[in-house]
Amino acid sequence: MTENESERDEQGRFVEQTSDEDIVRVIRESEFPAVTARWVADTVRMKRRPVHQRLEELHEQGALERGKLSPRVVIWWIPGG
């Protein structure tokens, strides 16, 4: 497999390389108290939309809190962190 290729699942979709734990870890280790989906996406080198979906899922599980700064700006942080 070359550097630019990624693994695919049985349906031909790209296999996700970044775990939920990786996402929570980069937020925890951030120098900021809260981050945007764009910041997380840039940090873990994923597209923003899939990162935003993962952040929403982590929020639903209680792993993250979220707040809206404006209609288009959402920030994410670890509860109690």
Side-chain angles (χ1 to χ4, degrees):
M1 185 175 303
T2 68
E3 210 175 309
N4 292 329
E5 293 177 350
S6 296
E7 279 188 56
R8 293 181 183 253
D9 66 12
E10 296 82 31
Q11 289 79 37
R13 296 177 300 214
F14 287 108
V15 175
E16 194 58 62
Q17 300 290 326
T18 303
S19 70
D20 288 347
E21 292 80 19
D22 292 332
I23 291 172
V24 171
R25 180 182 46 77
V26 298
I27 295 170
R28 182 179 299 111
E29 293 175 357
S30 167
E31 64 185 282
F32 311 107
V35 297
T36 63
R38 168 66 60 206
W39 182 89
V40 174
D42 290 347
T43 302
V44 298
R45 296 188 174 154
M46 287 178 59
K47 295 200 179 277
R48 194 202 61 79
R49 183 172 290 289
V51 166
H52 182 79
Q53 292 169 339
R54 301 272 293 282
L55 293 170
E56 287 287 352
E57 291 169 6
L58 287 164
H59 173 68
E60 290 173 11
Q61 297 168 12
L64 295 177
E65 291 291 331
R66 61 176 269 180
K68 281 192 161 196
L69 296 180
S70 73
R72 296 187 66 197
V73 179
V74 177
I75 56 172
W76 305 89
W77 67 93
I78 297 172

